Amino acid sequence: MRGQMMDDALTITSIMDFADRVFPNTEIVSVTADNPRHRSNFAEAFARSRKLANALTKLGLQAGDRLATLAWNDYRHFELYYGISCSGYVCHTINPRLFPEQITYIANHAEDQWVFVDVAFVPLLEQVQDQLETVKGFVVLTSAEHMPKTTLKNVHCYETLIADQPDTFAWPELDENSACALCYTSGTTGNPKGVLYSHRSTVLHCMGTNQSSSLSLSASDSVMPVVPMFHVNAWGVVYNAAATGAKLVFPGPKMGDGETLASLVNEEQVDFAMGVPTVWLALVNYLKESGTRVDSLQRVIVGGAACPESLMRAMDEFDVAMQVGWGMTEMSPLGTYNTLLPWMNDLPDDEKMVYRLKAGRLIYGVKMRIVDEEGNELPWDGKASGRLQVRGPWVCKSYYKLEDSDAHLPDGWFDTGDVATIDKYGYMAITDRTKDVIKSGGEWISSIDVENAAMGHEDVQEAAVIGVPHPKWTERPLLVVVKRPGTDPSKEELLGFLEGKIAKWWIPEDCVFVEQIPHTATGKVSKKDLRAEFSSYTY
Ligand code: ADP
């Protein structure tokens, strides 16, 4: 017997309509390149999304077309998120920090039709525009007076494009399983892979992560996403805020600037902020140096990399509770979140810290398990450590245009590439990674790409790259090299050789020479053994 309830589609349009109706006056404050404090609200932003939707219609697009953004967190990017997805197109956020060749690869693979770009990234696009195979034109996210001189072809100014459009628009009735957003991850080996979110997965992620044991946002919150909107939809908060009426405070291009972050917190009474450890380190350093306090800030979600204990303790001194979250692009991204069980609050500080530093407990909606190399499930005893696998309605089933090679295992679980323990209270802790990548300042570095670039040097017989701890960036790459017999390249020469071949911030700070690199039985470099060999190396 089937249930007899309505099946209203779970779409981003429903979130937008809700916020427009219920929280029209909720503020959106942004730092932009041309305005240190732009003030807007949900009603204004959605009216501009409707103007944008009218402008998009005139561009003659097809449903499902990919429209790329290369932009910081601000109100225009917010309008694009809703205007594009609710019109039935796919909002493809591109990470502007990637190497130009990767941006080209991603835009071509996604077959992007138009690119919406911040003024700051116009030069980057000018450099690659001739290689963009499907892009018909560019829209610069600024006003006519701030429009830069550019060689970009078929270029529009955003404000001019939407200015004369009506602010009414009949949003299409969308299938909840239709695609709404696309984000490429380099967190796996090989070329970046596209994770194609659906309206349904996005709404369910929003509902799931708004539970009280997770983000738990409400209309009394003022939330500052310092996680970029080009990275997994800023961990979904752009939707969560609209679904709960929380005020949004966007730091624009000032994401890593402790002083701006502190003044935004104080001026906009931010009580909840989100970002990777490197960002919070910048904030703490600024607070300590300047003697500033951030008294409104109650909670900070830290994710994307493990939270160092020293950082959590430093934030404690400012009465800011750090809460660890874990997830990945393929998971929309949240899977676990760390809030303490009531009895844990009475534990002595050091014992409490052990739990607080873990990646947290499952968010209802996601399932997880740890398995050994043979796929046998391991106990939740806090000791057994195994491959971490997940499943759920906001977990990726297959990558974009790689539908034949499902992302998940034959039994429907997705292997995260992380290694973890889970204790008897359900707290998961990441202990290692099986994927061969390095995460620096919250962004991926492909060790394989760095290795291939280094192997291109004629004096290198073998090269391997591993991540080693770094006080500011959490992790940085270290190049390990076996010299070709009879040659004697210097460290500086090899590191210099990498310039121009990979993104600048991917270049390791150091290179060490060894007699040999350990290999597995199948002849592959054993990163596990190499990491063990360099376990005491720190930057
Ligand atoms: P995000 O940065 O939003 O988490 P990515 O897909 O870029 O998404 O990265 C996901 C990976 O980052 C995870 O598989 C894991 O290796 C690492 N990661 C994320 N959160 C944590 C955490 N709390 N502790 C340790 N590693 C984490």
Side-chain angles (χ1 to χ4, degrees):
M1 186 184 285
R2 290 182 66 84
Q4 291 175 273
M5 309 308 281
M6 295 186 187
D7 59 355
D8 255 19
L10 302 176
T11 60
I12 293 171
T13 322
S14 70
I15 298 179
M16 178 177 62
D17 284 346
F18 169 81
D20 204 15
R21 203 20 101 99
V22 182
F23 296 109
N25 301 317
T26 295
E27 272 193 297
I28 301 176
V29 179
S30 313
V31 176
T32 66
D34 45 41
N35 188 346
R37 289 293 181 280
H38 176 277
R39 310 194 88 82
S40 169
N41 60 33
F42 283 150
E44 266 174 45
F46 294 133
R48 282 164 55 87
S49 293
R50 294 192 291 273
K51 281 166 160 275
L52 170 68
N54 281 305
L56 294 178
T57 306
K58 293 208 170 117
L59 294 178
L61 301 163
Q62 306 286 319
D65 272 352
R66 273 75 62 211
L67 303 179
T69 65
L70 224 77
W72 293 116
N73 294 10
D74 68 20
Y75 68 101
R76 292 192 183 105
H77 209 172
F78 178 92
E79 294 159 14
L80 288 165
Y81 261 53
Y82 285 91
I84 293 174
S85 300
C86 300
S87 297
Y89 312 124
V90 177
C91 182
H92 173 204
T93 52
I94 302 185
N95 182 345
R97 293 188 186 133
L98 294 175
F99 199 49
E101 278 163 20
Q102 287 172 306
I103 293 182
T104 309
Y105 170 84
I106 288 173
N108 287 340
H109 188 266
E111 298 170 65
D112 291 330
Q113 300 291 303
W114 285 79
V115 186
F116 292 78
V117 56
D118 269 352
V119 173
F121 308 123
V122 166
L124 180 60
L125 281 183
E126 285 173 340
Q127 216 181 315
V128 299
Q129 68 169 329
D130 292 337
Q131 281 113 57
L132 301 179
E133 290 158 7
T134 54
V135 172
K136 299 198 175 93
F138 304 87
V139 181
V140 183
L141 295 164
T142 191
S143 57
E145 59 176 320
H146 292 105
M147 192 65 188
K149 275 210 170 63
T150 173
T151 57
L152 286 179
K153 290 171 207 133
N154 197 14
V155 67
H156 295 265
C157 162
Y158 181 77
E159 292 300 334
T160 313
L161 185 77
I162 67 169
D164 297 329
Q165 300 298 329
D167 67 0
T168 52
F169 185 78
W171 298 107
E173 295 275 330
L174 298 170
D175 175 343
E176 65 179 21
N177 284 306
S178 59
C180 63
L182 176 64
C183 182
Y184 279 71
T185 175
S186 337
T188 42
T189 46
N191 279 323
K193 294 185 180 72
V195 180
L196 188 60
Y197 307 104
S198 67
H199 281 263
R200 180 175 190 271
S201 71
T202 305
V203 171
L204 290 174
H205 178 265
C206 171
M207 288 178 166
T209 58
N210 257 341
Q211 294 167 92
S212 61
S213 55
S214 181
L215 301 191
S216 176
L217 286 183
S218 79
S220 29
D221 287 307
S222 170
V223 52
M224 180 168 72
V226 192
V227 53
M229 286 169 77
F230 56 72
H231 184 80
V232 217
N233 306 326
W235 293 345
V237 74
V238 184
Y239 308 113
N240 290 46
T244 55
K247 169 177 169 178
L248 275 168
V249 180
F250 288 126
K254 298 285 188 178
M255 307 261 277
D257 175 8
E259 184 174 358
T260 306
L261 296 182
S263 62
L264 279 171
V265 169
N266 288 327
E267 287 165 32
E268 304 305 331
Q269 292 297 293
V270 170
D271 66 327
F272 184 44
M274 323 167 77
V276 296
T278 305
V279 162
W280 305 126
L281 213 55
L283 178 68
V284 160
N285 287 343
Y286 170 75
L287 297 180
K288 281 187 181 157
E289 281 161 20
S290 63
T292 311
R293 290 199 57 88
V294 277
D295 291 332
S296 63
L297 192 59
Q298 287 166 18
R299 294 189 294 151
V300 155
I301 161 170
V302 58
C307 178
E309 181 173 341
S310 55
L311 177 61
M312 195 172 273
R313 289 195 183 277
M315 288 295 249
D316 279 350
E317 283 176 30
F318 288 93
D319 297 322
V320 179
M322 295 213 102
Q323 297 180 328
V324 179
W326 166 87
M328 51 195 308
T329 307
E330 288 90 333
M331 298 172 66
S332 305
L334 275 168
T336 61
Y337 195 81
N338 194 322
T339 50
L340 294 185
L341 290 166
W343 62 267
M344 292 175 173
N345 287 311
D346 301 327
L347 289 173
D349 195 49
D350 283 350
E351 281 176 47
K352 200 162 36 177
M353 188 55 80
V354 172
Y355 288 107
R356 289 179 65 198
L357 285 168
K358 294 191 181 198
R361 284 169 298 148
L362 273 177
I363 294 168
Y364 167 70
V366 183
K367 298 185 183 114
M368 74 178 168
R369 68 181 184 189
I370 42 174
V371 299
D372 64 17
E373 285 308 317
E374 281 75 48
N376 304 310
E377 200 167 341
L378 295 169
W380 290 24
D381 60 6
K383 293 191 197 84
S385 158
R387 300 176 83 103
L388 179 60
Q389 301 179 341
V390 292
R391 61 187 299 160
W394 59 82
V395 177
C396 169
K397 190 163 69 178
S398 53
Y399 293 102
Y400 179 54
K401 295 213 287 200
L402 289 170
E403 285 78 4
D404 293 342
S405 53
D406 281 344
H408 60 70
L409 302 164
D411 64 356
W413 287 77
F414 175 85
D415 194 293
T416 64
D418 287 325
V419 178
T421 60
I422 309 174
D423 69 26
K424 62 180 173 185
Y425 306 111
Y427 286 77
M428 185 270 285
I430 304 281
T431 54
D432 199 0
R433 245 183 244 148
T434 53
K435 48 194 170 195
D436 197 4
V437 281
I438 295 156
K439 203 147 193 216
S440 184
E443 306 234 20
W444 292 115
I445 294 177
S446 158
S447 43
I448 291 173
D449 284 0
V450 183
E451 283 159 8
N452 286 343
M455 301 274 244
H457 192 284
E458 56 184 4
D459 295 346
V460 172
Q461 175 159 304
E462 190 168 22
V465 173
I466 50 169
V468 291
H470 188 280
K472 179 169 179 197
W473 303 109
T474 320
E475 214 175 39
R476 285 295 299 157
L478 172 70
L479 178 62
V480 184
V481 165
V482 180
K483 294 177 190 169
R484 195 171 292 286
T487 67
D488 192 19
S490 71
K491 182 187 332 198
E492 292 73 22
E493 187 184 336
L494 290 186
L495 295 177
F497 176 76
L498 300 177
E499 274 171 35
K501 297 188 176 64
I502 49 175
K504 211 165 174 200
W505 62 274
W506 281 26
I507 297 178
E509 276 78 357
D510 197 12
C511 163
V512 287
F513 296 102
V514 293
E515 290 300 315
Q516 58 183 18
I517 286 175
H519 290 94
T520 63
T522 53
K524 286 194 222 155
V525 170
S526 171
K527 292 288 173 81
K528 207 168 138 200
D529 291 332
L530 197 59
R531 279 200 293 263
E533 208 175 307
F534 286 91
S535 60
S536 54
Y537 184 101
T538 49
Y539 272 122

